[in-house]
Amino acid sequence: MEKLKTVKILKFYPEKCDGSKECEKACSQIHFKTDEGGDKSAIKIIKDGDSYKMHVCDQRGLCLDMCPVGALKRRKNGVIFLDKETCIGCQACVGFCPIGAMRKSKTRIEPFKCISCGACVRACPNGALEDIDVKIDDIKEVVYHKQGA
Amino acid sequence: MVEGQIPIEEYKTGNTKHKWDFNKLNFAHRIVAEYDYKKGEINKGYANRTLYINLESREIKEKKVTEDMKKKFTGGRGFGLKLLWDGIKPSTRWDSNENELIITTGPLCGATQYPGSGKSICLTVSPLKDIICDSNVGGFFGPYLKFAGFDAVEIQGKAKHDVIIIIDGEKGKITVETAPLEETDSHLLNEQLTHMYASEDNDKSRQKISVVTAGKGAKNSYWGCLNFSFYDIRRKVSRMKQAGRGGLGTVFRDKKIKAIVAKVESFTGISNNPANPNKIASVGTKLHREIRDLDRYQCNMRAVGTSHLVEVMDEYDLLPCENYRFGSFPKASKIYSPKFYERFTKIIPDGCWHGCTMACSKTVDGFKVKTGPYKDQKVTVDGPEYETIACGSNMGLWNPDWILEFNFYCDTYGLDTISTGTSIAFYMEMYEYGILNKKRCDNLELCFGNFDAVMEFIHRLAKDNKSEFITVAGKGIRCVKDWLKKNSWGDPLLIDDCGMESKGLEYSEYVTKESLAMQGGYGLTLKGPQHDEAWLIFMDMVNNAIPTFKEKAEALHYYPMWRTWFGLNGLCKLPWNDIEPANNAETEEPTKVPEHVQNYVEYQNAMTGWNITKDDLIMQSERCYNWQRAMNVWMGRGRRKDDWIPYRSMGPVTEVEYLSRKDRYNKLIVEKLGIKEDEVEKMDTINKIKLLYDYRQDQYQKLADAVYFRRGWTPNGIPTPQKMKKLGFTDKKILDMLQKAIDEDDIKGLNVWGGKYKKGEKPPSIDPKYWEKWKTL
């Protein structure tokens, strides 16, 4: 398999966001076939004073080496994907994600995450979200630390 | 090794590859017994039935788990005790036909969200001790046994030929079949059976198999351990964890079991059908985060496993060196954790059950074997854990690769590293004193540090034709003590004091000379000197937090009960206090790790739907703990004399030990025995050793008094019927048996306190038969 070079991640333009959370609704539609957003969305828009912040997976892949059953893989398009058929719901990835981007909703034991599908980008009426390409080598991280670090 | 984000397919161990003709192996199998069962759902952590297999009568049946059984025995080890009580006799010994080998799970076993939730607990009548031994172990077998439909498996009788037992949760079928051609040694047999019984030829299928095996050493010694496999999809190796203590593997092979295979069709994070899965997920995730943030600053388990303890123990004079003579050694830094970190394979989720992010199960892959039948092959060595490394220091093996070799062969031969290492260390000391010599040791120069002799000893153990020495030596320290004394080869007192066993079981690897509470933690136990009941050295010795007998006794009540609780539930103890919340030190009782205790309360409630408190957890354990002690009494043990410990664990036996810590012991004689400093200086060492000897022996007896009193036992260590009733037991058979034993003690005048109380000192109660005043319920 040829080494992957780039992956799409989300870029956020807070100045364009009006907090209507259309992105969250679109995301929960993808993952849970509902437009509830909130806990069922992989992307989160959080109010930050007068502005907004985006909270979502940045595909760094730290979770890959955590999964005991190999349910997490970097796909051909570079995206970290959780196969919920293989997942045994241990929450190791949820607990170890340094930015809390691996999500768990109450409806099922297996977690879920952003798969860079672009639904949120399309759903945003103000163009506050954009898919951008980044080099995997620039973002990738490993969970294992040097002894005594 | 390359760090991180390697696709699973691309991992390489560098191990030697094997090719076997599975058709040929399979073709030689003959079915001995079969049983079809209806697959059922697990309900709130319980499969609600256990599996009974009799290898002699070929009977296989299911036994129902009643609500009363859950209430009184909780699960895991508790269920095992109940099944043994119903299945064996007081005269049952390890090789009796009716002896049982039991593997149990527990209501929390198999959950994936809370780290350390995959333990099995194994029980049997031990060859080393003639009483019940319990040993807990990781690997996938326990969870798979439950997901296949059973809370426990109970095996009675002996097969005529080597058999394997297959618990097939996919088909709902139990099969016992002969297996004449398979390997016996664990690392090979695990691999064979994992491949043979996987539904499809891929890693995903192989991960749904777990195998229990022993090995050639288990058959030929009393130190047999059980290896529980767990298939690692990255290394592509069927790895293993050990139920080490007490000779379980010896019983396993005596029953002619070559292996037990458990297989599941599939499972999910909620296969236990917990009452409240989201609660378990949230408590578990909280702990994952704690481990993520704090482990590297606390125990560093994720990097080096339990090997981090080597340097800690060496620093505090607790690392057993040269048969526990010393607690630290100048060469010890050669086997500190960084030496093993260099060798460990990194980056991998090294939990012995899914979701355990403590990940302490480290391995060295592609290790080139130096001796024996697998010489020059490359293998995966599971471990070494702290205890195994400390066996190295105990035998004077100051080379990490020697320890790895020792570790590998003990595992694959099915030998408990602790019993093997501690015993060899004793034989080495006897060799040093000339009590043993080359001639008496089957031409082996068993002196401290002789790696070649150690390995040769182990290889000979694994062979069927053995010399007198190897045969006796493989039966453990207690047997060798008797053998040495019978031949009048040395001072019997020296032999008894140096051989580190109690109740027939060899000590695990901590020096307890300066901690009275920990001497009790090893001696005043159910199964013998294993630190799974209590580890009080820091609390007692370093922090001096429990100075009085009463306080020590309270600790020897609470901690054994607390630690017993893990075994009732199918849990590992490590995630309780080998990771602590950041603010733990500021809590009222940091040593109990209150936040984690609360986690366990919530966890058990969320699984079972019960509404218990932290006090109820202790009560669950107290029931089983007392039941097991009562069973020891039933089998003719469980008295004060059986709680004897060798003096080596209390203080300096020899001059070299005294002199090596002279200032410490001189000071002690001045402070505790009231002898003036200049007089102590003038005394010769032998006399000082004798003074300390009498003082510390008496301290231990006083501790036993306080502990028995706290536990509601007679001064001779028997649980009283009144105590059993308080715990909710009404079984007339056990209550009458205890009363009878107490009455017999009375006739022999044994219901009196054991300490010598001087003026101003008081025994725990003026009336030694204090329990008779309790109101009966």
Side-chain angles (χ1 to χ4, degrees):
Chain A
M1 195 170 66
E2 200 191 326
K3 275 276 172 213
L4 307 161
K5 296 277 186 315
T6 63
V7 57
K8 280 196 183 346
I9 62 166
L10 285 169
K11 188 169 171 160
F12 182 54
Y13 301 93
E15 66 281 6
K16 292 187 191 171
C17 178
D18 64 2
S20 65
K21 303 198 179 181
E22 290 303 320
C23 53
E24 288 194 15
K25 290 172 197 165
C27 184
S28 65
Q29 196 58 249
I30 296 286
H31 287 286
F32 294 95
K33 299 196 170 37
T34 163
D35 56 9
E36 285 169 55
D39 284 348
K40 294 192 172 98
S41 166
I43 181 169
K44 269 208 170 78
I45 298 299
I46 303 156
K47 190 130 175 64
D48 181 26
D50 293 339
S51 180
Y52 293 94
K53 280 194 306 198
M54 173 190 71
H55 189 204
V56 74
C57 174
D58 53 15
Q59 314 295 345
R60 68 178 79 179
L62 206 148
C63 50
L64 283 175
D65 295 316
M66 292 303 301
C67 183
V69 291
L72 282 158
K73 286 202 168 122
R74 200 181 276 283
R75 286 191 147 180
K76 279 187 180 164
N77 62 3
V79 164
I80 308 292
F81 183 80
L82 175 73
D83 171 18
K84 68 174 193 285
E85 300 305 316
T86 306
C87 172
I88 41 86
C90 71
Q91 318 298 319
C93 53
V94 178
F96 272 69
C97 178
I99 57 168
M102 184 66 80
R103 309 250 194 250
K104 158 88 175 67
S105 99
K106 288 195 169 145
T107 33
R108 67 160 192 252
I109 198 75
E110 298 85 7
F112 67 102
K113 67 178 291 298
C114 171
I115 50 169
S116 291
C117 68
C120 53
V121 176
R122 291 189 294 276
C124 181
N126 309 316
L129 288 163
E130 186 194 356
D131 276 330
I132 58 161
D133 284 308
V134 291
K135 282 187 189 156
I136 292 171
D137 280 345
D138 291 345
I139 57 158
K140 84 169 184 189
E141 238 184 273
V142 292
V143 73
Y144 223 92
H145 55 85
K146 293 280 183 203
Q147 190 184 29
Chain B
M1 178 153 187
V2 197
E3 293 233 336
Q5 297 209 3
I6 306 163
I8 285 171
E9 298 73 28
E10 290 175 24
Y11 277 85
K12 295 267 185 299
T13 59
N15 287 0
T16 303
K17 292 211 164 52
H18 301 104
K19 276 196 174 163
W20 288 297
D21 183 348
F22 291 115
N23 286 334
K24 190 180 159 196
L25 296 178
N26 237 327
F27 192 69
H29 288 195
R30 293 283 174 272
I31 290 174
V32 177
E34 273 181 307
Y35 178 78
D36 291 302
Y37 68 95
K38 201 168 160 258
K39 290 191 273 180
E41 283 228 322
I42 296 159
N43 190 13
K44 296 175 184 168
Y46 290 98
N48 288 315
R49 59 180 166 180
T50 63
L51 175 64
Y52 172 86
I53 299 170
N54 193 314
L55 291 175
E56 197 193 12
S57 68
R58 302 177 182 189
E59 181 190 13
I60 302 177
K61 66 180 179 187
E62 297 167 38
K63 289 185 181 175
K64 198 174 172 338
V65 170
T66 62
E67 289 305 311
D68 186 58
M69 189 164 156
K70 289 187 214 169
K71 201 177 140 205
K72 290 199 172 111
F73 295 96
T74 310
R77 179 165 143 199
F79 280 10
L81 291 170
K82 164 76 175 130
L83 294 170
L84 278 170
W85 174 249
D86 293 339
I88 62 168
K89 296 183 281 199
S91 56
T92 301
R93 293 296 171 256
W94 71 277
D95 53 354
S96 305
N97 225 348
E98 75 275 9
N99 187 19
E100 298 192 328
L101 181 82
I102 296 177
I103 303 172
T104 67
T105 61
L108 307 184
C109 178
T112 57
Q113 297 81 32
Y114 201 87
S117 299
K119 288 267 186 164
S120 313
I121 294 85
C122 314
L123 301 95
T124 195
V125 176
S126 156
L128 288 166
K129 314 184 298 148
D130 294 341
I131 50 171
I132 293 163
C133 192
D134 57 275
S135 192
N136 78 70
V137 54
F140 296 168
F141 187 86
Y144 288 0
L145 173 67
K146 202 208 274 183
F147 299 152
F150 304 99
D151 289 319
V153 55
E154 176 188 8
I155 304 165
Q156 200 166 34
K158 298 181 193 183
K160 283 203 182 77
H161 307 283
D162 274 352
V163 292
I164 49 176
I165 299 167
I166 301 118
I167 301 166
D168 188 341
E170 198 177 286
K171 291 188 190 135
K173 193 181 184 87
I174 313 293
T175 322
V176 180
E177 48 194 57
T178 59
L181 302 182
E182 278 80 358
E183 299 281 346
T184 309
D185 289 340
S186 283
H187 78 291
L188 297 175
L189 183 55
N190 272 341
E191 193 180 327
Q192 282 184 331
L193 297 180
T194 301
H195 280 82
M196 200 144 105
Y197 287 98
S199 299
E200 290 169 48
D201 186 21
N202 60 39
D203 287 332
K204 219 169 171 174
S205 290
R206 287 190 274 275
Q207 208 177 24
K208 288 177 183 146
I209 302 279
S210 178
V211 186
V212 180
T213 53
K216 290 180 195 129
K219 184 183 162 216
N220 290 314
S221 75
Y222 284 179
W223 301 325
C225 73
L226 293 178
N227 287 299
F228 279 54
S229 84
F230 58 112
Y231 188 80
D232 185 326
I233 52 171
R234 289 176 171 81
R235 294 178 174 93
K236 293 165 193 64
V237 170
S238 207
R239 300 179 48 192
M240 50 207 193
K241 295 294 274 184
Q242 291 75 31
R245 311 303 335 261
L248 290 148
T250 305
V251 175
F252 188 85
R253 291 300 292 136
D254 185 57
K255 292 186 175 305
K256 290 243 169 40
I257 308 169
K258 212 169 199 180
I260 312 175
V261 180
K263 180 174 176 179
V264 286
E265 189 171 11
S266 63
F267 67 94
T268 70
I270 48 170
S271 284
N272 269 314
N273 282 316
N276 185 349
N278 282 321
K279 182 74 197 173
I280 301 179
S282 73
V283 181
T285 304
K286 188 177 74 164
L287 189 64
H288 287 317
R289 292 201 169 120
E290 246 172 68
I291 295 171
R292 174 193 72 188
D293 296 336
L294 302 171
D295 174 60
R296 69 188 67 183
Y297 308 110
Q298 294 181 7
C299 296
N300 211 18
M301 289 283 214
R302 289 180 55 74
V304 296
T306 53
S307 73
H308 73 277
L309 284 167
V310 181
E311 44 267 35
V312 180
M313 295 305 137
D314 186 44
E315 190 187 333
Y316 283 94
D317 208 23
L318 300 167
L319 178 75
C321 302
E322 299 196 344
N323 196 29
Y324 302 83
R325 286 191 293 192
F326 316 108
S328 59
F329 213 79
K331 287 182 184 171
S333 65
K334 290 176 188 284
I335 55 168
Y336 279 5
S337 66
K339 302 290 177 195
F340 290 97
Y341 182 75
E342 285 168 15
R343 291 160 170 84
F344 288 147
T345 303
K346 300 164 183 75
I347 327 156
I348 293 181
D350 279 322
C352 67
W353 171 239
H354 299 316
C356 185
T357 44
M358 285 294 275
C360 72
S361 311
K362 300 299 159 200
T363 75
V364 177
D365 294 301
F367 175 77
K368 195 171 174 187
V369 181
K370 293 170 199 62
T371 67
Y374 306 113
K375 190 175 182 224
D376 292 333
Q377 292 192 23
K378 288 186 176 174
V379 298
T380 288
V381 187
D382 263 284
E385 297 184 34
Y386 163 74
E387 303 286 337
T388 306
I389 303 173
C391 284
S393 59
N394 230 345
M395 295 183 281
L397 305 182
W398 303 107
N399 181 330
D401 289 331
W402 292 357
I403 293 170
L404 287 168
E405 181 99 359
F406 169 75
N407 192 158
F408 167 73
Y409 271 113
C410 280
D411 286 356
T412 199
Y413 286 156
L415 294 167
D416 172 25
T417 53
I418 299 179
S419 275
T420 309
T422 298
S423 299
I424 296 175
F426 169 61
Y427 309 155
M428 286 172 159
E429 191 182 353
M430 293 298 103
Y431 199 99
E432 188 174 301
Y433 302 154
I435 295 171
L436 285 174
N437 54 39
K438 201 170 167 181
K439 199 175 145 222
R440 290 170 189 172
C441 290
D442 195 19
N443 260 330
L444 293 174
E445 277 183 282
L446 266 185
C447 46
F448 285 113
N450 191 344
F451 167 69
D452 294 332
V454 169
M455 293 317 300
E456 184 53 32
F457 174 81
I458 292 172
H459 296 314
R460 287 189 200 174
L461 260 188
K463 287 181 185 138
D464 285 341
N465 293 324
K466 298 191 298 289
S467 67
E468 187 192 1
F469 171 68
I470 302 288
T471 307
V472 177
K475 289 181 178 172
I477 292 179
R478 186 163 276 191
C479 250
V480 170
K481 280 178 175 177
D482 291 341
W483 184 62
L484 297 176
K485 287 186 277 185
K486 194 184 83 191
N487 285 302
S488 307
W489 284 338
D491 173 7
L493 193 64
L494 179 72
I495 292 168
D496 275 338
D497 285 342
C498 294
M500 289 292 277
E501 57 83 22
S502 167
K503 300 181 175 67
L505 185 71
E506 285 79 15
Y507 266 65
S508 71
E509 310 305 313
Y510 296 99
V511 171
T512 57
K513 287 174 194 168
E514 307 315 317
S515 167
L516 178 60
M518 192 57 211
Q519 291 160 28
Y522 269 140
L524 309 171
T525 48
L526 297 173
K527 70 163 172 270
Q530 170 66 8
H531 54 279
D532 69 340
E533 279 203 16
W535 202 91
L536 304 171
I537 300 183
F538 277 171
M539 198 197 286
D540 189 32
M541 180 189 106
V542 181
N543 303 326
N544 198 24
I546 42 173
T548 65
F549 285 114
K550 204 175 165 186
E551 285 161 316
K552 289 187 208 304
E554 186 56 37
L556 283 168
H557 159 71
Y558 179 82
Y559 289 97
M561 297 314 143
W562 173 244
R563 284 167 175 254
T564 294
W565 187 81
F566 293 92
L568 305 182
N569 287 280
L571 295 180
C572 173
K573 165 259 149 199
L574 299 187
W576 159 54
N577 72 345
D578 282 280
I579 180 78
E580 291 176 352
N583 66 352
N584 191 53
E586 293 142 36
T587 59
E588 259 181 41
E589 294 179 290
T591 47
K592 291 186 179 174
V593 199
E595 188 180 317
H596 287 181
V597 172
Q598 186 55 30
N599 284 357
Y600 288 112
V601 171
E602 289 170 20
Y603 183 11
Q604 201 188 44
N605 282 337
M607 180 64 81
T608 58
W610 299 339
N611 187 19
I612 49 109
T613 65
K614 63 178 182 178
D615 296 332
D616 296 328
L617 301 186
I618 298 299
M619 186 54 129
Q620 290 171 4
S621 295
E622 222 180 333
R623 288 194 196 104
C624 297
Y625 195 92
N626 280 275
W627 186 272
Q628 191 166 346
R629 180 76 173 189
M631 285 187 75
N632 285 354
V633 174
W634 183 57
M635 301 185 82
R637 303 290 197 88
R639 268 84 161 181
R640 184 182 289 261
K641 67 172 169 41
D642 303 304
D643 289 344
W644 171 93
I645 53 172
Y647 186 68
R648 174 59 57 73
S649 64
M650 296 185 197
V653 175
T654 56
E655 282 185 77
V656 65
E657 285 165 87
Y658 192 101
L659 293 172
S660 76
R661 309 286 187 271
K662 188 179 157 200
D663 292 348
R664 176 195 295 164
Y665 294 129
N666 277 354
K667 192 168 162 237
L668 220 135
I669 291 175
V670 173
E671 284 174 4
K672 300 287 179 189
L673 302 173
I675 298 171
K676 282 184 188 145
E677 213 174 321
D678 49 342
E679 282 179 42
V680 174
E681 280 297 330
K682 277 183 238 158
M683 288 166 80
D684 66 22
T685 312
I686 298 286
N687 284 334
K688 288 191 280 192
I689 289 175
K690 179 77 177 83
L691 276 177
L692 211 54
Y693 192 97
D694 294 339
Y695 170 72
R696 288 200 161 170
Q697 291 281 12
D698 184 51
Q699 291 279 299
Y700 182 73
Q701 294 308 329
K702 282 175 178 155
L703 178 72
D705 288 346
V707 171
Y708 293 162
F709 179 73
R710 173 63 186 89
R711 291 180 183 172
W713 298 354
T714 69
N716 201 28
I718 297 179
T720 60
Q722 287 82 346
K723 172 78 187 183
M724 297 298 275
K725 280 185 202 162
K726 273 191 181 182
L727 296 171
F729 290 117
T730 50
D731 186 323
K732 200 171 170 317
K733 186 177 144 196
I734 207 159
L735 297 178
D736 288 351
M737 179 275 296
L738 290 171
Q739 189 57 53
K740 197 171 155 239
I742 294 169
D743 292 343
E744 282 168 11
D745 279 357
D746 224 27
I747 294 166
K748 292 180 200 152
L750 294 172
N751 284 331
V752 289
W753 298 116
K756 294 178 190 124
Y757 294 92
K758 292 182 213 133
K759 258 191 184 171
E761 290 179 339
K762 275 189 201 153
S765 86
I766 303 298
D767 178 9
K769 287 157 92 177
Y770 62 93
W771 67 92
E772 289 181 344
K773 292 190 192 115
W774 290 355
K775 278 183 196 161
T776 37
L777 299 169

